[in-house]
Amino acid sequence: MSASTARAEGKARSPARRGTGGRVGKAAARDTDASGHRLSLLRDMLVIRRFEERCVELYSGTKIRGFVHLYIGEEAVAVGVNAALCEEDAVVSTYREHGHALARGVPVDAVMAEMYGKATGCSHGHGGSMHLFDAQHRFYGGNAIVAGGLPLAAGLALADRMRANNRVTCCFFGDGAFAEGEFHETANLAALWRLPLLLVCENNLYAMGTSLAREHAQTNLAMRAASYGMPAWTVDGMDVLAVEAAAVRAAESIRADSGPHFLEAQTYRFRAHSMYDPDRYRPKSEIERWKERDPIQALAEPMRSEGDLDDRTMRQLEQDAHDAVEQAVRSAEDAPLEPVADLLRCVTTAPGSTP
């Protein structure tokens, strides 16, 4: 599918979706007009970008501890894919999951509180950055293990198939997971059992610190996934409309009982692998070239040229994103830590109780 075709399809289709921005944490019907829908996508990407930038400041100020993996540069993938999903669908993520959670509709306040390790966090402060979880939004967690979410996603999809639920389970993972046995086992079983599974590989070219070309003899990941007998194709992961159109096409086909589908979203993280990473393995010139394809600007610029976005509206979107993130920071600062009395809750069984 070409980018132009994907953009055209992205304007024409209208599945139910979730959003961030001004509608954080609430299911929202997708706008029926193309300009309104594009504004919604832009709003969602801005919230994720500003959230992640604020996390950099908070981490540097030791407000956030542990490992933090930022999603800056990859916003189009989370927003585009989630725009194609329905409320009853499930999402399984990776340790770079802030953007996935926010695009899914997990409230900004709940995600930020989890970053702080507070009891009001979406995982009650138990998980932190790498283990966001919200069953209410059918967001079944980040996972600190590379490829660890893939078998879980297959299990969710199998359960839906056995119960005759017309749902899609979407599993995000990186190109590094493609080298793990869990991917190949999951892909084989999903194709063999025709599971309603959407596999979304966020190929940012480096896994952790090793380039794709130095790790894989065959770098066409979509072609390799197709060898398992599932439809698979590549999409421009810096173009939110192209991602959405590809995800809509895949999700509709999965709902029609065609079995699993694979999308390779070619994207790029503008920041290092994690906050601990000195990022010495990527040429600075390469990073700057990819920044020229910033997904937020890639959507905003054509909207401006077509008259669907002016300076006043852009300033308001920026202000809304800023306000949502700052409110989340204030809430997290004021939120309580888990009571000491609850430290063993969900860890051990009380004496005399039945497991």
Side-chain angles (χ1 to χ4, degrees), residues 82-94:
N82 275 280
L85 301 177
C86 299
E87 291 183 27
E88 64 269 18
D89 295 332
V91 173
V92 179
S93 185
T94 70

Side-chain angles (χ1 to χ4, degrees), residues 148-220:
L150 283 154
L152 171 63
L156 289 167
L158 176 61
D160 281 334
R161 181 164 182 78
M162 294 175 70
R163 294 169 178 167
N165 293 328
N166 190 18
R167 294 172 172 172
V168 173
T169 294
C170 172
C171 184
F172 291 99
F173 55 97
D175 50 290
F178 213 96
E180 299 293 326
E182 291 94 333
F183 168 77
H184 299 282
E185 293 162 354
T186 297
N188 180 63
L189 287 178
L192 184 65
W193 296 339
R194 298 180 61 81
L195 300 183
L197 182 61
L198 174 57
L199 298 169
V200 180
C201 178
E202 295 180 304
N203 181 2
N204 62 30
L205 303 181
Y206 282 93
M208 184 174 179
T210 303
S211 70
L212 186 72
R214 296 186 65 183
E215 183 181 12
H216 295 271
Q218 173 54 262
T219 59
N220 188 328

Side-chain angles (χ1 to χ4, degrees), residues 7-350:
R7 278 192 287 270
E9 289 192 16
K11 294 180 181 179
R13 301 180 186 271
S14 56
R17 67 183 295 277
R18 294 179 179 271
T20 56
R23 296 155 296 144
V24 172
K26 298 179 181 178
R30 178 176 164 188
D31 298 287
T32 55
D33 63 292
S35 61
H37 179 56
R38 290 196 293 178
L39 277 173
S40 177
L41 297 175
L42 182 60
R43 180 188 300 114
D44 291 355
M45 289 195 292
L46 279 169
V47 170
I48 295 171
R49 178 68 60 86
R50 302 304 170 237
F51 181 95
E52 297 290 66
E53 290 172 345
R54 192 69 170 96
C55 284
V56 174
E57 298 173 358
L58 294 168
Y59 187 90
S60 299
T62 68
K63 296 288 186 178
I64 295 174
R65 307 284 184 131
F67 285 95
V68 174
H69 304 83
L70 301 171
Y71 202 63
I72 295 173
E74 302 185 22
E75 295 90 349
V77 183
V79 172
V81 170
N82 275 280
L85 301 177
C86 299
E87 291 183 27
E88 64 269 18
D89 295 332
V91 173
V92 179
S93 185
T94 70
Y95 48 73
R96 196 183 305 279
E97 87 276 37
H98 310 160
H100 302 148
L102 293 170
R104 184 61 184 163
V106 181
V108 177
D109 287 4
V111 178
M112 185 61 79
E114 190 59 38
M115 300 292 289
Y116 271 71
K118 295 297 186 71
T120 55
C122 57
S123 299
H124 307 295
H126 294 174
S129 172
M130 292 196 288
H131 299 282
L132 305 177
F133 185 95
D134 191 331
Q136 180 181 351
H137 291 89
R138 291 185 59 76
F139 185 76
Y140 293 110
N143 199 308
I145 301 173
V146 174
L150 283 154
L152 171 63
L156 289 167
L158 176 61
D160 281 334
R161 181 164 182 78
M162 294 175 70
R163 294 169 178 167
N165 293 328
N166 190 18
R167 294 172 172 172
V168 173
T169 294
C170 172
C171 184
F172 291 99
F173 55 97
D175 50 290
F178 213 96
E180 299 293 326
E182 291 94 333
F183 168 77
H184 299 282
E185 293 162 354
T186 297
N188 180 63
L189 287 178
L192 184 65
W193 296 339
R194 298 180 61 81
L195 300 183
L197 182 61
L198 174 57
L199 298 169
V200 180
C201 178
E202 295 180 304
N203 181 2
N204 62 30
L205 303 181
Y206 282 93
M208 184 174 179
T210 303
S211 70
L212 186 72
R214 296 186 65 183
E215 183 181 12
H216 295 271
Q218 173 54 262
T219 59
N220 188 328
L221 303 185
M223 183 179 72
R224 292 172 63 189
S227 70
Y228 285 102
M230 69 178 75
W233 65 94
T234 299
V235 63
D236 181 358
M238 309 302 276
D239 182 338
V240 67
L241 297 176
V243 173
E244 180 189 22
V248 167
R249 172 184 165 192
E252 289 183 350
S253 183
I254 292 169
R255 293 187 207 284
D257 197 28
S258 64
H261 283 54
F262 176 95
L263 296 181
E264 177 195 358
Q266 294 182 341
T267 185
Y268 199 83
R269 50 178 166 80
F270 295 166
R271 303 280 304 198
H273 169 72
S274 73
M275 292 296 294
Y276 285 105
D277 180 8
D279 200 9
R280 295 172 181 166
Y281 46 85
R282 301 187 300 178
K284 286 183 169 45
S285 58
E286 177 185 282
I287 299 172
E288 293 306 313
R289 284 198 306 272
W290 276 93
K291 284 184 176 180
E292 293 174 1
R293 299 181 56 205
D294 187 314
I296 292 175
Q297 296 307 317
L299 179 60
E301 288 173 4
M303 289 179 68
R304 286 183 182 278
S305 65
E306 295 167 21
D308 290 334
L309 180 68
D310 55 28
D311 290 342
R312 180 180 177 183
T313 303
M314 188 66 185
R315 284 195 299 269
Q316 188 60 57
L317 291 174
E318 286 279 13
Q319 189 63 51
D320 290 346
H322 174 271
D323 291 348
V325 173
E326 289 309 305
Q327 171 57 40
V329 172
R330 289 192 294 271
S331 296
E333 291 277 0
D334 295 338
L337 293 167
E338 183 180 33
V340 173
D342 289 350
L343 286 180
L344 295 182
R345 186 168 61 90
C346 305
V347 177
T348 62
T349 303

